[in-house]
Amino acid sequence: MAIDEIVMLENSSILQDEIIAHRLGLLPLKTDLDSYNLPEECPCKSEFGCNLCRVTLALEVEAKEGSRTIYSSDLKSESQTVTPVSEKVLIVKLAKEQRIRLEAYARLGKGRNHAKWQPVSMCTYKYFPKIMISNKCNVCGKCVEMCPRKVLVKSGDKIEVRDLMACTLCQDCAEACPTPRAIEVSGEEDAFILNIESTGALLPERIVTEA
């Protein structure tokens, strides 16, 4: 869910209508996927939308006595489930006697169409690491010293994997070994590590299942 259109009723701030609309569009909103339809799939078939495919948020703020900062908390949503993820996102600053009054309309969308509908701020994946230490290892400890992520540890008369998940498959430890190599680092062919950082619009588990 993201703000897709606004109706600017009054704006005497220093920012143009288009810039304020752009900032509002990128504001992360908590999303209730089960209660709303995509606009193109809604039975209303209206370009204006209905209560099944659109949420109205209102903003009416005036700096009466001095300057005032407008935050996302000043947006008033008609829905209790579709609200800004954070109340501390700065929208605009008003000087004395400046005023903003607008209506914003939020709709469901997909990240492939616009960044404002992306539910993640970061998404990466890598192969699940596989580290094989052979009996050719002379336990010199060079591989432990070379590893930037401290994946390996020297324990007595052997080298052990301390934190497999921290491995980035950089091969530094394997290259530190004398010939023939005593360490082989590779990735599992059918296993991956997926890291997702949600904007707060959806839970990471829901993001994965929806994707």
Side-chain angles (χ1 to χ4, degrees):
M1 189 74 80
I3 293 174
D4 192 35
E5 292 181 345
I6 72 165
V7 174
M8 186 66 74
L9 303 173
E10 185 177 353
N11 177 22
S12 57
S13 73
I14 195 173
L15 293 186
Q16 295 93 336
D17 297 354
E18 294 81 2
I19 295 179
I20 294 176
H22 184 262
R23 293 177 69 85
L24 291 174
L26 294 176
L27 184 70
L29 300 177
K30 295 177 184 176
T31 300
D32 183 1
L33 288 180
D34 301 319
S35 300
Y36 295 94
N37 303 317
L38 284 165
E40 60 269 24
E41 298 175 1
C42 190
C44 74
K45 302 298 180 182
S46 170
E47 63 176 309
F48 301 107
C50 66
N51 60 355
L52 294 178
C53 63
R54 187 187 75 176
V55 175
T56 301
L57 299 95
L59 178 63
E60 184 173 356
V61 180
E62 180 179 2
K64 296 181 179 179
E65 299 179 357
S67 61
R68 177 172 176 179
T69 303
I70 300 178
Y71 292 98
S72 50
S73 58
D74 293 308
L75 276 170
K76 307 304 178 186
S77 174
E78 66 177 1
S79 170
Q80 294 182 346
T81 57
V82 180
T83 57
V85 169
S86 171
E87 296 183 348
K88 295 296 184 181
V89 179
L90 190 151
I91 297 173
V92 63
K93 293 183 179 181
L94 300 180
K96 185 178 180 180
E97 297 183 355
Q98 289 183 345
R99 176 182 174 90
I100 284 184
R101 189 161 59 96
L102 62 84
E103 283 189 357
Y105 306 107
R107 297 183 176 92
L108 285 178
K110 297 183 178 181
R112 69 179 66 174
N113 298 324
H114 197 282
K116 65 184 176 183
W117 282 306
Q118 291 179 357
V120 298
S121 54
M122 183 276 292
C123 182
T124 64
Y125 80 93
K126 66 177 181 178
Y127 285 107
F128 194 91
K130 179 170 62 175
I131 301 176
M132 304 293 294
I133 303 175
S134 73
N135 53 12
K136 299 177 183 178
C137 178
N138 61 9
V139 199
C140 66
K142 291 182 179 179
C143 58
V144 177
E145 298 173 5
M146 289 297 296
C147 181
R149 303 297 295 274
K150 307 301 179 184
V151 174
L152 303 173
V153 63
K154 185 175 180 180
S155 179
D157 58 350
K158 60 182 179 178
I159 301 296
E160 295 180 345
V161 178
R162 182 184 65 86
D163 187 2
L164 182 63
M165 297 290 283
C167 180
T168 61
L169 308 178
C170 67
Q171 302 292 335
D172 283 356
C173 60
E175 294 173 359
C177 288
T179 305
R181 288 189 177 184
I183 298 180
E184 293 292 336
V185 179
S186 60
E188 299 282 358
E189 294 183 357
D190 57 354
F192 301 87
I193 298 174
L194 182 66
N195 290 314
I196 290 179
E197 183 177 273
S198 171
T199 62
L202 295 170
L203 293 175
E205 295 85 356
R206 186 68 184 270
I207 293 173
V208 173
T209 55
E210 290 295 331

